Amino acid sequence: MTERTIAPAPVAEPRTACPSAPRDGTPRWLRTYHRRERPRVRLACFPHAGGAATAFSRLSAALPDDIELLAVQYPGRQDRDAEPFAEDIATLAGGAAAALTAYADLPLFLLGHSLGAIAAFETARLLQERDGVAGLFVSAARPPAQDWQEPDLDTLDDDAVVAGLRRLGGVSDVLLRNPRSRHEVLRLLRADHNVLRGYHCDPHTTLTVPVTVLLGEEDPKNTLEQVREWGRHTTAGHTVEVHAGGHFALTERTGDIAPLLVRHIHEGLALGPAGPPAGLVRDIYLAGADGRASRPPTDLTALQDAARAVMTPIAYGYVAGDAGTGSTRRANREAFDRWRIVPRMLRGVTHRDLTVPLLGQRLSAPVLLAPVAAQSIVHPGGELASVRGATDAGVSFVLSSFSSHSMEQVAAAAGDQPRWFQLYWPAQPEVAESLVRRAEASGYTALVLTVDSPHFGYRPADLDHGYLPFLHGAGLANFTTDPAFRAALPPDADAAAVRAHWAAISTNPGLTWEGLAWLRELTALPILLKGILHPDDARLALAHGMDGVIVSNHGGRQIDGTMAALDCLPAVRAAVGPTVPVLMDSGVRTGSDVLKALALGANAVLLGRPYQYGLALGGRSGVRHVLRCLLAELDLALALTGCTTLGDLDENTVAPAGPLPAGG
């Protein structure tokens, strides 16, 4: 036996549970029992075999105002009783996924109970292609690849099926004694049971979203050992929560289960009370071994090897590849190793402030996600997954001109989180102007003009694969959606013509310092020049109207053998003075790296490859994991250094490797 059937009679539900149709007006797949005025997250719930959307009306009432519950209604029951039953799990998942796409404006969690866990799992697989799921809860269910050992109910008489239902509990004897309601219970149960028995899942099938498993300690069907195997089906980590109750505790003990769900949802999206980033360390220890399985490494220098195992060779080569022999990338890391942190003791550091004022805003952390092109080759969600992960962690995002999703789509996914737009200056001025105007209209608050890539560097990994993502259609969304770009193409231009036009105008090798005056007059947005290493270039940037600079060697992807960005940072800071915004990237991997860069003169850093590895390992949740780890380590490094705010960091916080000079 598998499931409990909720009585179709409306008197079994609270008077307040009045379902409303979804926003598209079709009352088919989704029900909302308690509409929230300003929800910040939604929870879509999938019922058990024989069950209906009404199973979750009490849970809906028990959730706080910031969480809106959507209940999935399967065909063949209640107000859908005239429709045929679904023939397989794919039908349930496909219908639910299609309906849920109308709710992409907010983070979405899925919850499935028993059979519903499998339907929710398959729905998550469909939605994760658009990075539309923040997490999955599964209740009273074995993993999808396990043999559920379910009997064929069509071979059992009604009395045997009813006996099994009574063993599981959750179905009123009043219903089972009434011939009419008993018939309906068994009709639904047998139909849904056939769907479950026909389901098969490859044991290697995985999600890229975290999974939380709910198990009643008195569940007669499932054991802790069995449900732990859910960890095999996600690359983003899983947690097992053992709670009081039996197989139907989710619907019978709503007062106990609702707070558990709320805690996980709030922690997962950082919607709850803001705690110090270092609280992640406590959370990981409290989760114990069950929280460790399939989670990306917390050693952020180990991400690259972990990501390589899941990425295609061409995608890995593009992200990890260097110019020439890779000496510039190695120099970037060696530069950080040449500096050592000098902690100070007994400073009474109990609370830290990681916020930083920058370009008229106060950012929640001195870290931004660097612009990285064509992120869809790393994960189907691409930049949408990355910006959502950044928003979850409270980190600002810099969107590449060469993104796989348009700047408008990314802006919508970012919500209120600050975002900047990186401009590769096109050879056609009208396209450049159009991109800038669109960025302004979409709420981007700064421009990052990258000047160190007038030509692609000599990158053996890409050359050996004969691969550039843009020539295969990835990374062109801002151009293919741009009216000025499209205006130069014939109406019947095919994909090859679009790529050829992009290749002809996407960069501007002839750009000079004098050309910056046009961009400065075009927009009032702050402009940062990215790719600066020489202090004279930093001075020239200010002389030509730029608002700040980003010290960068493009992560070692442009020229083999250049100076490390960190080695250039102090000279650039000295050249522009103490008040000009100076950021840096190239080689940043850990929270201690961030602290060193800030101590040597940076206002903030940009993080590049590590979050791409997190994206490969877990989509949105992988990016969030990387950023939470980075900020936790920075928070702890600040505390252990004896500093309360980022303003406490200066050149005395670090020293060159080797003996500390006498007198400090």
Side-chain angles (χ1 to χ4, degrees):
M1 300 304 111
T2 309
E3 319 291 347
R4 167 196 180 192
T5 300
I6 298 296
V11 294
E13 302 301 333
R15 285 185 174 271
T16 57
C18 299
S20 59
R23 60 186 61 184
D24 63 3
T26 58
R28 296 187 64 216
W29 283 97
L30 300 176
R31 304 290 178 274
T32 305
Y33 292 98
H34 302 87
R35 184 76 70 184
R36 305 305 197 228
E37 288 188 10
R38 293 182 180 86
R40 292 193 286 172
V41 62
R42 293 191 178 93
L43 177 67
C45 298
F46 294 71
H48 47 275
T54 50
F56 300 108
S57 63
R58 291 185 177 89
L59 178 60
S60 175
L63 294 175
D65 289 341
D66 63 342
I67 303 177
E68 184 174 76
L69 186 144
L70 305 174
V72 176
Q73 185 76 301
Y74 303 148
R77 66 213 66 212
Q78 293 188 336
D79 56 348
R80 299 188 68 184
D81 60 356
E83 300 177 44
F85 290 112
E87 295 183 355
D88 49 37
I89 292 290
T91 300
L92 297 179
L100 287 168
T101 56
Y103 294 85
D105 58 323
L106 293 177
L108 177 68
F109 285 79
L110 305 185
L111 182 154
H113 179 59
S114 202
L115 164 77
I118 300 301
F121 173 78
E122 291 296 334
T123 303
R125 289 182 64 197
L126 296 174
L127 292 177
Q128 76 179 359
E129 293 301 309
R130 299 179 292 275
D131 204 67
V133 180
L136 171 66
F137 295 96
V138 292
S139 166
R142 297 182 190 181
Q146 274 193 17
D147 181 2
W148 283 37
Q149 300 177 342
E150 298 292 343
D152 183 355
L153 297 191
D154 290 339
T155 66
L156 302 178
D157 62 26
D158 289 355
D159 289 341
V161 176
V162 168
L165 285 173
R166 287 192 168 114
R167 180 175 67 87
L168 281 182
V171 180
S172 167
D173 267 346
V174 173
L175 293 176
L176 296 178
R177 287 197 299 267
N178 182 289
R180 183 176 178 182
S181 59
R182 169 178 164 137
H183 172 78
E184 180 65 7
V185 166
L186 298 180
R187 182 182 77 91
L188 298 178
L189 186 61
R190 284 194 164 100
D192 290 350
H193 215 262
N194 286 334
V195 169
L196 177 61
R197 282 173 49 81
Y199 173 76
H200 299 283
C201 179
D202 187 289
H204 302 293
T205 302
T206 58
L207 294 174
T208 59
V209 299
V211 175
T212 302
V213 184
L214 309 178
L215 175 67
E217 58 188 2
E218 299 171 12
D219 188 341
K221 285 182 61 62
N222 303 292
T223 68
L224 181 60
E225 181 180 6
Q226 290 167 336
V227 301
R228 276 178 173 157
E229 293 298 301
W230 272 99
R232 296 180 180 272
H233 292 282
T234 176
T235 62
H238 88 293
T239 303
V240 178
E241 290 278 3
V242 179
H243 52 78
H247 191 70
F248 290 101
L250 177 69
T251 53
E252 293 176 332
R253 304 177 69 106
T254 302
D256 295 332
I257 302 300
L260 186 155
L261 296 173
V262 171
R263 173 170 60 85
H264 276 278
I265 291 172
H266 282 174
E267 288 178 356
L269 291 185
L271 293 177
L280 171 68
V281 175
R282 176 207 61 210
D283 295 343
I284 289 176
Y285 284 138
L286 290 176
D290 284 337
R292 185 189 65 213
S294 301
R295 184 179 60 214
T298 55
D299 176 0
L300 300 185
T301 65
L303 288 169
Q304 182 171 347
D305 289 339
R308 184 172 191 169
V310 302
M311 296 174 72
T312 65
I314 58 173
Y316 177 80
Y318 179 75
V319 172
D322 303 310
T325 66
S327 67
T328 302
R329 174 187 52 80
R330 293 191 296 273
N332 285 332
R333 291 303 305 148
E334 291 164 0
F336 280 100
D337 290 339
R338 283 195 294 271
W339 289 95
R340 294 289 186 261
I341 297 170
V342 186
R344 301 299 303 274
M345 300 297 117
L346 300 176
R347 298 293 184 94
V349 179
T350 56
H351 303 286
R352 282 84 59 198
D353 180 7
L354 297 187
T355 64
V356 56
L358 196 59
L359 300 179
Q361 295 180 300
R362 179 164 287 276
L363 305 185
S364 61
V367 178
L368 301 92
L369 291 195
V372 178
Q375 295 183 27
S376 62
I377 70 169
V378 176
H379 181 276
E383 294 82 7
L384 299 181
S386 293
V387 75
R388 286 167 176 151
T391 298
D392 295 342
V395 169
S396 299
F397 184 78
V398 186
L399 177 68
S400 171
S401 285
F402 301 157
S403 58
S404 295
H405 294 89
S406 73
M407 66 178 80
E408 290 83 5
Q409 291 176 307
V410 174
D416 295 330
Q417 190 67 22
R419 52 193 178 270
W420 299 353
F421 180 69
Q422 178 228 29
L423 179 66
Y424 281 115
W425 194 318
Q428 287 186 335
E430 57 271 25
V431 176
E433 179 174 0
S434 182
L435 292 174
V436 171
R437 295 300 184 213
R438 289 170 60 197
E440 292 172 334
S442 299
Y444 292 83
T445 57
L447 294 180
V448 174
L449 178 60
T450 297
V451 294
D452 62 0
S453 302
H455 306 278
F456 290 113
Y458 187 88
R459 304 172 189 170
D462 293 339
L463 293 170
D464 289 346
H465 287 124
Y467 177 76
L468 196 62
F470 320 109
L471 301 183
H472 297 267
L476 306 185
N478 284 321
F479 291 84
T480 57
T481 59
D482 191 82
F485 178 85
R486 301 294 308 189
L489 289 166
D492 59 349
D494 60 11
V498 170
R499 293 193 294 267
H501 182 47
W502 173 87
I505 65 99
S506 58
T507 60
N508 189 353
L511 186 63
T512 65
W513 289 105
E514 287 68 29
L516 298 183
W518 178 84
L519 181 62
R520 181 66 286 167
E521 293 175 3
L522 177 65
T523 180
L525 289 178
I527 307 173
L528 295 154
L529 221 57
K530 182 177 184 293
I532 299 300
L533 295 176
H534 199 289
D536 286 349
D537 283 345
R539 295 186 188 98
L540 284 168
L542 299 186
H544 287 84
M546 301 297 98
D547 298 281
V549 297
I550 300 177
V551 179
S552 170
N553 57 32
H554 220 93
R557 293 168 59 78
Q558 282 300 93
I559 308 177
D560 195 22
T562 63
M563 289 192 67
L566 189 71
D567 285 342
C568 299
L569 174 61
V572 170
R573 169 54 74 192
V576 301
T579 61
V580 172
V582 175
L583 288 75
M584 72 85 58
D585 67 23
S586 303
V588 177
R589 295 293 180 269
T590 69
S592 294
D593 291 343
V594 178
L595 186 142
K596 292 176 184 179
L598 299 181
L600 291 171
N603 297 96
V605 304
L606 276 67
L607 185 75
R609 285 181 173 115
Y611 88 84
Q612 286 295 289
Y613 299 140
L615 179 66
L617 291 166
R620 172 185 188 162
S621 63
V623 173
R624 179 172 66 240
H625 170 81
V626 169
L627 292 174
R628 292 189 69 197
C629 290
L630 184 81
L631 296 181
E633 187 178 6
L634 172 61
D635 189 23
L636 286 171
L638 196 68
L640 296 173
T641 304
C643 298
T644 301
T645 71
L646 301 179
D648 296 335
L649 299 171
D650 59 24
E651 65 276 6
N652 296 313
T653 309
V654 295
L660 188 68

